[in-house]
Amino acid sequence: MIIPKIISHRGYWIEPLEKNSLKAFIRSFENGCGVELDIRYIDGNLIVSHDHPSGKESLFFKAVIDYWEKYIDDKNTPKIAINIKEDGLRDELQKIISKEYQKYTFVFDMSIPDTIPFMLSDFPFFTRQSEYEPNPNLYDACTGVWLDEFKDSWISGRI
């Protein structure tokens, strides 16, 4: 039997402006949920942002990880799904997430050329399956499959 882990999309947000905010991530962790978040590299830092940020109010990825580390234990550590929004972030990501904590995280949504360094470094990565990608790339090498719906609702509850 597969026991699902709940991962909140861009955190457990109530108001749309809370998406990808520290408040939404804290709310997720406090409720025993993992998070999906988006990262980019801006001005020498990994930041959490789905789109290119428009102001100086960036949330540093390191701040999320620092808070998340308070919830790490052997049985109930919330997972972090890291949506890579641009190529070339692996080295910076590995500076922030230690090898020891990588087992609680995975990256996804990179280009194939950018996925290969993650694969070669044993950083957990998911491939994606969607209505546009019925046959996931690197299926035999990945840690898991991220199911995505862009236009059509095709995912069923059957495993």
Side-chain angles (χ1 to χ4, degrees):
M1 174 193 227
I2 296 174
I3 299 172
K5 299 285 184 186
I6 296 173
I7 297 176
S8 55
H9 185 243
R10 299 186 196 161
Y12 176 2
W13 52 273
I14 296 170
E15 301 294 326
L17 288 175
E18 292 178 342
K19 292 178 185 179
N20 269 332
S21 71
L22 188 56
K23 181 178 185 176
F25 299 136
I26 290 170
R27 193 180 289 132
S28 290
F29 301 146
E30 288 176 348
N31 283 281
C33 298
V35 299
E36 178 273 344
L37 51 76
D38 308 293
I39 63 169
R40 297 178 175 280
Y41 191 72
I42 307 288
D43 296 329
N45 293 291
L46 286 179
I47 63 157
V48 178
S49 182
H50 181 268
D51 300 311
H52 286 285
S54 57
K56 294 188 182 241
E57 297 162 14
S58 298
L59 172 57
F60 292 103
F61 178 67
K62 176 87 169 84
V64 176
I65 296 304
D66 288 345
Y67 193 86
W68 167 74
E69 286 177 332
K70 299 173 189 175
Y71 290 87
I72 292 177
D73 65 42
D74 288 334
K75 295 181 182 178
N76 299 310
T77 301
K79 301 284 187 197
I80 296 186
I82 305 164
N83 187 327
I84 305 289
K85 289 298 187 182
E86 58 188 65
D87 286 349
L89 303 184
R90 186 193 59 133
D91 291 345
E92 292 300 318
L93 194 58
Q94 286 185 306
K95 288 177 187 175
I96 296 172
I97 299 179
S98 70
K99 189 81 168 162
E100 174 189 359
Y101 291 161
Q102 287 176 16
K103 64 186 171 188
Y104 305 119
T105 67
F106 65 88
V107 294
F108 70 102
D109 238 5
M110 301 82 60
S111 66
I112 293 301
D114 200 49
T115 301
I116 293 169
F118 282 102
M119 181 178 69
L120 295 175
S121 69
D122 292 326
F123 200 109
F125 76 94
F126 276 34
T127 188
R128 182 176 57 205
Q129 184 172 0
S130 73
E131 64 269 29
Y132 298 110
E133 301 147 311
N135 301 306
N137 292 305
L138 302 171
Y139 184 79
D140 292 334
C142 70
T143 307
V145 178
W146 183 264
L147 301 178
D148 218 338
E149 295 178 333
F150 291 96
K151 184 177 165 187
D152 299 325
S153 295
W154 64 273
I155 300 170
S156 74
R158 294 180 299 164
I159 297 178

